[in-house]
Amino acid sequence: PLLRRIMTGLANRSSPLENLSMSHCEFEDHCVEGIFSFFKDKPEILPRKLTLVSHCIGHDDNRCSIMTRLLMCQACSLEDLTISELAPSDDEMVDIATALERNTTLKRLMIDLTNLKMRAYDRIRLLLCDTKNIIATYHSNHTLGVLGYKMRDSKISSYLKLNKKYSDKRLVAAAKIINVHFAHNFHLGNFDMMKSQVLALLVSYTNLGFRAWEEAVDEESKENGDEDEGDEDEGDEDEGD
């Protein structure tokens, strides 16, 4: 009955919910799948902020499949997704990252990254900044600004901060392109791979792009420095004891 009332209420809405939290609800797995499928069929009422707990998305090896299909939906309006107690495996994280390749709405994804290995981190880096060529970098994800608990990769953290800081995603794209393709060895042959609009963008945003990247790196360095100082303080206290 509760689930039916929720779905009926959503179906009768004329605009998306700002916030839907089911973090304290317990549904049968098939019921939860029905909820997600309902969102997928009715993208115009997808809540902008959605909070769940891990058991709400299932317990089997395919528990993240419904969520990834949701994120892949072109009409997905979800901006903030929290799934507490979800610590995805490498394979699950790879699927999530793949689903986010063309997603331009999700700004915040809160999951536990404790179990991730190098393969998953490599895939996240590829999502945020595909370094294969300039066009690939330009089409990377420039929207996701917050990702999970216990992030252990400084490069990913820099990309996330850059995404979060600038609402103008052309500026974010330019900053990544400049850092990856211009800050190191760059030869004129690379221009053959650039579309005219990307080249024009780079010309317009070169100075801003350099500044944006430097600011993101500076912020990351300051935060790392503060953490190191905190560790030293703890060490001093131990010596005093």
Side-chain angles (χ1 to χ4, degrees), residues 5 12 36 43 60 62 70 80-82 99 113 117 138 146 155 157 171 182 198 200 208 218 234 239:
R5 287 199 297 271
N12 290 332
F36 277 93
D60 58 19
N62 296 319
L70 177 65
D80 188 325
L81 176 60
T82 298
L113 307 179
K117 304 293 191 299
Y138 179 76
V146 179
K155 180 67 75 174
S157 295
L171 176 56
F182 286 81
V198 179
L208 290 175
D218 286 344
E234 291 178 4
E239 290 178 6

Side-chain angles (χ1 to χ4, degrees), residues 117-180:
K117 304 293 191 299
M118 186 59 67
R119 176 169 168 260
Y121 279 109
D122 287 344
R123 186 62 185 85
I124 297 171
R125 280 193 294 271
L126 184 67
L127 166 71
L128 297 173
C129 188
D130 188 341
T131 61
K132 181 171 55 179
N133 55 52
I134 290 172
I135 300 301
T137 305
Y138 179 76
H139 287 294
S140 298
N141 184 300
H142 308 308
T143 304
L144 187 65
V146 179
L147 176 59
Y149 311 97
K150 304 180 181 178
M151 171 59 67
R152 300 188 306 238
D153 189 291
S154 60
K155 180 67 75 174
I156 292 175
S157 295
S158 295
Y159 290 143
L160 291 170
K161 289 179 185 297
L162 188 64
N163 284 2
K164 183 179 180 181
K165 184 164 186 173
Y166 296 97
S167 57
D168 187 342
K169 299 310 175 184
R170 297 174 301 169
L171 176 56
V172 177
K176 292 178 183 178
I177 290 171
I178 289 167
N179 176 69
V180 173

Side-chain angles (χ1 to χ4, degrees), residues 194-219:
M194 298 173 65
K195 295 180 180 178
S196 59
Q197 61 266 34
V198 179
L199 181 56
L201 172 69
L202 285 173
V203 172
S204 301
Y205 278 78
T206 296
N207 290 332
L208 290 175
F210 272 121
R211 196 183 322 149
W213 180 259
E214 288 173 355
E215 288 177 359
V217 172
D218 286 344
E219 288 182 7

Side-chain angles (χ1 to χ4, degrees), residues 29 43 45 57 98 134 147 174 182 190:
D29 291 349
I45 60 169
I57 63 170
T98 301
I134 290 172
L147 176 59
F182 286 81
N190 286 0

Side-chain angles (χ1 to χ4, degrees), residues 3 7 18 35 44 79 82 89 91 105 117 164 169 184 189 198 206 209 218 228 232:
L3 180 59
M7 296 182 70
E18 288 296 323
I35 290 175
E44 67 275 11
E79 298 178 6
T82 298
S89 64
D91 288 341
T105 58
K117 304 293 191 299
K164 183 179 180 181
K169 299 310 175 184
H184 308 290
V198 179
T206 296
D218 286 344
D228 292 341
E232 290 177 3

